[in-house]
Structure formats: structure tokens, C-alpha cells
Amino acid sequence: MASGANVFHAFGESGNARYLADEAEKIADSVDWNATADEERIGLLLLSEAYAAVKPAAAATVLARYDGVTTKMDPTRLLRDPSADPRLVAWDAYVRGLVARINGDYERAGELLRKSAEGFTSCGYLWRAALALIELDATPVDTRGELPLERAAVIVRDNFPASFLARRLGSWAWAYVDPVASALTPAQRDVLRRLLEGKNPVAIAAETNRTVSTVRTHVEHINRAFGTHSYLELFAACSRRGIGLPEVPSPDTVEAFRRTS
């Protein structure tokens, strides 16, 4: 049920996602988690992940229940030692990162989501790596020089172009297949996205640890590539090509959702 909740959320069915998560929570209440020896308890990670999306206030409670399980999983009944399995380590970091962000601990959230992305990448769990990078980009933390959304979008383009991850990227995914936008450098695409967010070169420079002159040089190159001469012309050109902003929650949206949940 928790897995189903995550699937519903991935496709925008938040009502169904919350219903399944609540049903999973009812089952979780009836389980003696310390009596489990296999990977059943990982269902609590799934449920915490689902609640992070549809009922943030409950995510930390479920994660605390997971942390309260004192018996160890039996390594002989798993694929490998759970404390060393990079998939479980990365997944654990991912869920904890989401909960830290809900609680407003953005620096910790950034550290955990980075750890998650690196862990999933190391073992070839690429769709999870892309999801962690998308969430890192949506977290109000310094990611200068990392380009997490660029990395995620390339993974999606090369491996999962028709997946729910493409849905998360929204119309920004077109920036990686459009003949003009895809020919830009990663740094130039990063500047283009921030321009589409309505930011000027001074603000972009401050956000990305670039000099204002470097940002302006990128803007000039972008305008030449699109054949435009102003911000308004550039926005119109991107709109005609279907290039828009990624559909990820802004920090303000995340904070507002946390307060009302």
C-alpha cells in the first residue's frame, strides 16, 4: 500500500496517495516490528517516503517508528548485510533527507540527499539517483557547482524518457532534446532555467557563485543561440519550443505544505 501511495503521488493522484498511505499506517499500527527479522520493516521507509509527499507531519512519526526497531535484520535472509547494502543506505538517506527538509533543517537535508544520490549512482540504481537529485535541487541549500537538476535530467533523458521522472521535470525536459537548448553547455542551461524563473544576472551570480560578467556572457550566448535580443523574446522563444520550468515544489511551497499538514 505504501508503494501504491508513492506511485499515485508520482502521477499527481494525491488523494489516492494519501488514502493508501493512511491504510498502510493502519496496518503498521498492528505490527510488532521488533518481531520482524527480514526486510518487512523497510515498509516503514516506504511509508515515511509516501507521507513526506502527501502528509508531511506524519513522515517523521513513521521514521521514528522505524528507528525504534531494536532487533537486527538477519543478514542470512537478505541479499547482503543491510548496513552495507548501498541501496538501503542510500534509500535511508533519501527518506531522512525528505524528513529533515520538512522539519526545516535544510543543510542536513542537503547532506542526506547528496549522500543518497551518490549511493544510488554507485550501485546503478539510476532512477532513484535522479529522484534524489531532483529533490536536492528543490531544497533551499547551496548547490553551487553541483548542477543537480542537470545531472538528473541527463539521467532521465538517457534512461527513462517516458517515466514519471520526466513528469517531475515537466516542460524543462524539453531543454535536453530541443536542438538549440540541448546544444548549450550545462552552465548555460543552468543560467537559462534561472532566467525563466525571472531572476536577473546579479541574482543568478549570487546563487551560483559565478561572477556577474560570467553570467552576462552566458546570457549573451543563450540569446545568440535562440536568435533573441531581450529577456521577453527569450521567454517567448522558449515557450514556443515548449521549454518551461521543472515541476518541482519550491521551498515556499514545501514550507506552506508543512504548516498546513
Side-chain angles (χ1 to χ4, degrees), residues 143-222:
T143 57
R144 289 178 290 189
E146 296 179 66
L147 301 178
L149 191 64
E150 173 80 15
R151 292 167 58 195
V154 170
I155 291 173
V156 175
R157 180 197 64 192
D158 294 346
N159 299 277
F160 317 106
S163 71
F164 78 97
L165 291 167
R167 179 187 178 93
R168 283 294 303 273
L169 291 173
S171 54
W172 181 245
W174 286 104
Y176 296 85
V177 294
D178 177 83
V180 174
S182 64
L184 299 174
T185 67
Q188 290 161 357
R189 267 192 302 275
D190 184 56
V191 170
L192 173 61
R193 175 167 70 99
R194 296 172 195 278
L195 289 173
L196 293 177
E197 291 173 347
K199 296 168 183 171
N200 61 33
V202 174
I204 294 172
E207 282 187 355
T208 61
N209 202 29
R210 300 181 176 103
T211 65
V212 176
S213 62
T214 296
V215 173
R216 286 178 173 153
T217 297
H218 287 325
V219 172
E220 290 173 2
H221 186 100
I222 292 167

Side-chain angles (χ1 to χ4, degrees), residues 39-222:
E39 68 274 15
E40 298 99 325
R41 66 192 68 179
I42 296 175
L44 291 172
L45 278 182
L46 268 173
L47 181 55
S48 184
E49 178 181 354
Y51 268 148
V54 299
K55 196 174 179 181
T61 301
V62 175
L63 184 60
R65 180 180 293 173
Y66 176 77
D67 288 337
V69 181
T70 57
T71 57
K72 302 296 184 181
M73 285 186 279
D74 182 356
T76 66
R77 304 183 70 176
L78 299 168
L79 291 177
R80 55 187 297 180
D81 181 357
S83 65
D85 188 330
R87 297 165 300 175
L88 182 55
V89 171
W91 189 16
D92 183 276
Y94 176 77
V95 175
R96 292 183 191 282
L98 296 182
V99 172
R101 187 173 68 187
I102 290 167
N103 291 334
D105 190 352
Y106 299 131
E107 290 301 320
R108 180 62 176 158
E111 293 172 3
L112 288 165
L113 290 170
R114 286 187 187 94
K115 178 181 178 180
S116 175
E118 292 166 2
F120 284 132
T121 300
S122 72
C123 62
Y125 212 164
L126 295 183
W127 77 266
R128 277 282 183 184
L131 189 58
L133 290 166
I134 290 171
E135 294 296 351
L136 175 59
D137 181 77
T139 302
V141 66
D142 187 356
T143 57
R144 289 178 290 189
E146 296 179 66
L147 301 178
L149 191 64
E150 173 80 15
R151 292 167 58 195
V154 170
I155 291 173
V156 175
R157 180 197 64 192
D158 294 346
N159 299 277
F160 317 106
S163 71
F164 78 97
L165 291 167
R167 179 187 178 93
R168 283 294 303 273
L169 291 173
S171 54
W172 181 245
W174 286 104
Y176 296 85
V177 294
D178 177 83
V180 174
S182 64
L184 299 174
T185 67
Q188 290 161 357
R189 267 192 302 275
D190 184 56
V191 170
L192 173 61
R193 175 167 70 99
R194 296 172 195 278
L195 289 173
L196 293 177
E197 291 173 347
K199 296 168 183 171
N200 61 33
V202 174
I204 294 172
E207 282 187 355
T208 61
N209 202 29
R210 300 181 176 103
T211 65
V212 176
S213 62
T214 296
V215 173
R216 286 178 173 153
T217 297
H218 287 325
V219 172
E220 290 173 2
H221 186 100
I222 292 167

